[in-house]
Structure formats: structure tokens, C-alpha cells
Amino acid sequence: MKNGKVAVLSGDGIGPEVMEQAMAVLKAAEGRFGFQLEYTRADVGGIAIDNHGKALPDSTVEICRASDAILFGSVGGPKWESLPPAEQPERAALLPLRKIFGLYANLRPAKCYQQLIHASPVKNEIIPHGFDILVVRELTGGLYFGQPKQTVKTETGERAVDTMVYETGEIERVAHVAFRAAQKRSKKVAVVDKANVLECGQLWRRTCKAIAPQYPDVAVEFIYVDNAAMQVVRNPAHYDVMLCENTFGDIISDEVAAVAGSLGMLPSASLAEGTFGLYEPSGGTAPDIAGKGIANPIAQILSAALMLRFSFAMDEAAVAIEQAVEKVIASGLRTGDIFSAGTTKVGTAEMGAAIAAAV
Ligand code: NAD
């Protein structure tokens, strides 16, 4: 798609700072590859509470509906933490967006660059060349949404019930996302489940086994989630795509992000049927460094690259941005979160400008 519309929702904290750099990199990509996207900004999160009285104003939803993709910053911060849970920026903005737009597949790439292995908490000899894992998480089913979901009083206290429920179709659609992604990467999918204990795990395993022959070039393995939690620390470089149901994916994706070492580097994509998606950094609003011009803009910039790939089918431009990031890292520029001796410390704007120039 040469033209398209993007809703730009920067949010709070470092959101606007890193978004500005992502926009500069998109401009550079537009110049190089000859496309033109139309960007419409809208309030979301804490700033939307301040300006419109709620974290996801109707006007913002309308702008998103009129767009082909949402480029999202992050939301929340100390100013809004005393609000009732249901009104808090994250819960009141992101969860409804997932629901309204049917964002069922969450992609969390966690790439640990060879030059940045020092930032990983695992022993560097385990990952001499870094690693590159993509966690694909089912986002709209399973334990977080299954019914019944309730707490009732009993004679001795209370009884809480959550229900894990999946249907074949829900598993199939996210499995196809994972297999297709693997085809463009190292052609391996690890299906993470708990098939030894859970009925849902059995269904995940059966369904993925049935789909696998459609992707003869992709090697599939099945791994219990408890073992997966250990293996991504012991040997992360073994993994390419890890496909998880909702709850397991929530946990494994954060674990893999932590093993990769630098939250400021990690983008994410949440995809709907078709090409619509929401793209955002894996980290939050980083209130501790907001406003100082030192946040790492790379997660936001790589989120923009994912947007070009998945919502606008501009893989070439996406790859160019990813390669520009690698080039700038290789040249030794570092924001504070990934700084090490012998490299050059820069701020948000300089990092963004260097990546835009490399594109
Ligand atoms: P956080 O991700 O904001 O920060 C954790 C640590 O990582 C901090 O030390 C921060 O400085 C650092 N960090 C994160 N992104 C960075 C970047 N780009 N460059 C450099 N350093 C970076 O998590 P938190 O402190 O738990 O949460 C802060 C706020 O963000 C909370 O209000 C939380 O609700 C919100 N939050 C929002 C989202 C979202 O919008 N999707 C996600 C997580 C947290």
C-alpha cells in the first residue's frame, strides 16, 4: 500500500519524545521508498484523561477507525495512579482498543544484538552472538476472558473462578500468524503449552499439528510452558518463533524481553484479521526518565517498522529501518539504557536522527 492512514497516539511520559523520532524515521523511509502515509494525532491515556475526562475518548476511537493502523506510544504514570483501577490509563485505553479492533495476535520480537549482550542478565558466554526470538501470543481468548469468571462467598471464605477456554478457530488463526512469521525468519516454531495437564493444551497441540503440514518449510516443536520458562534462560538462541496461548504468552514474552536486556529496544505488534494493527514499544512510559531527552527511541522506531511490514505490506522499508538500527548500534551510538564503556552516549533526538540518516 503506497498510501494509507495512521492514527498516532503518543500517550504519556516518554511516549511523545520517542514518537517524534519514530515519525522522523518514517519520513526518511517515505523519502527513500516513495510512499506517503497520512498521520493523525490523537490523545490517549493520562493526557486524554486530563484533556477529555477519559483515557480513550470517542474522538480518538473515531480517528483509529478511520485509519489503517495505530502507532501507539505508551500510557500511564504517577499522576493517574490514584484513579480507580477501571479508569487507569492502561486498562481504560489499551484493553478497549484490543477489544474494539479485534487485536487477537500479539507479536513481541525480542532481539538481543551481539553488540548489546552485556545488557542481558544471562551469562554472555551462553549468547555469544545474541539471539532473536519472536513471541506470538494469543491476545483475546483463554483465561483472561473465559466465562465463568467470578468470586463468590462461601461458608469458609471466598471462591474465585477463572476459565480457560479456546476454540479451534481461535488457535488456528494465531497459529497461521506464527507459521507465516517463521517462514520469513529462521523457519522454526515452538508451540508452548501445558498439554500434560490442560485440556486447552491438548487442543492447542492437536490444532497446531494439523496446521503444520501447510508449512513444510517450518520445523515445529512442542514444549511445556514450565520447561519453556527454563529454556529461554538456558539457551535462548535455540528459539525462533514461540507460539503461546494468552496467559503463557503474557509471562513468556516478558521473560524473553528481560533476557534480551533492554526494554527500550523492543517493539510489539497487535494484529487484527486483515491488515489492521496496533504497534507499540514493549516498555511503559518510563516516568523516571520522562522529559529528560534520554529515552531510547528504538522500540518506538522498530514498532513503526513492524507497522510498515504488517499493515502496509512494505517489507522493504521495514527491513531498511531495522538495518538502519543495526548499523547505528554497530557504529557505537548508545542511549543511557544500553550504554557501556567504549561506546558513545547520545540522547533520544540524536539516536533518532542517526537512524533516520541511516535509512
Ligand atoms: P517502564 O517500562 O515504563 O519502565 C521500566 C524501566 O525501564 C524504567 O527504569 C525505565 O526508565 C526503563 N525504560 C523503559 N523504556 C525505556 C526506554 N525507551 N528507554 C530507556 N529506558 C526505558 O515500566 P514501569 O516503570 O513499570 O511503568 C511506568 C508506567 O508505564 C506505569 O504507569 C505503567 O502503568 C505504564 N506502562 C504502560 C504500558 C503501555 O502503555 N503499554 C506498558 C507498561 C507500563
Side-chain angles (χ1 to χ4, degrees), residues 14 74-77 90 94 263-264 280 283-289 295-296 337:
I14 61 168
S74 36
V75 292
E90 254 188 286
L94 267 173
L263 209 44
E280 58 169 335
T285 55
D288 51 335
I289 57 167
N296 190 341
D337 55 318

Side-chain angles (χ1 to χ4, degrees), residues 6 19 38 51 57 111 236 241 244 280 286 292 343 348:
V6 180
M19 187 66 84
E38 189 184 319
N51 291 344
K111 182 166 178 161
V241 175
C244 308
E280 58 169 335
K292 295 183 180 163
T343 60
T348 312

Side-chain angles (χ1 to χ4, degrees), residues 123-198:
K123 286 194 195 109
N124 287 359
E125 58 260 35
I126 295 177
I127 45 167
H129 308 293
F131 62 85
D132 186 0
I133 297 177
L134 172 66
V135 178
V136 177
R137 167 187 170 196
E138 200 291 321
L139 202 56
T140 51
L143 200 51
Y144 295 172
F145 297 96
Q147 294 294 335
K149 185 181 217 24
Q150 60 182 11
T151 305
V152 291
K153 294 246 181 274
T154 66
E155 280 173 18
T156 50
E158 290 176 283
R159 181 167 180 272
V161 181
D162 294 284
T163 305
M164 185 185 275
V165 52
Y166 272 107
E167 295 196 13
T168 308
E170 289 176 282
I171 302 170
E172 280 173 345
R173 62 181 184 174
V174 71
H176 284 297
V177 171
F179 279 99
R180 283 199 299 266
Q183 283 183 315
K184 292 189 179 172
R185 297 169 44 97
S186 300
K187 301 186 171 46
K188 293 198 290 184
V189 171
V191 180
V192 177
D193 63 32
K194 192 72 185 165
N196 49 345
V197 180
L198 299 176

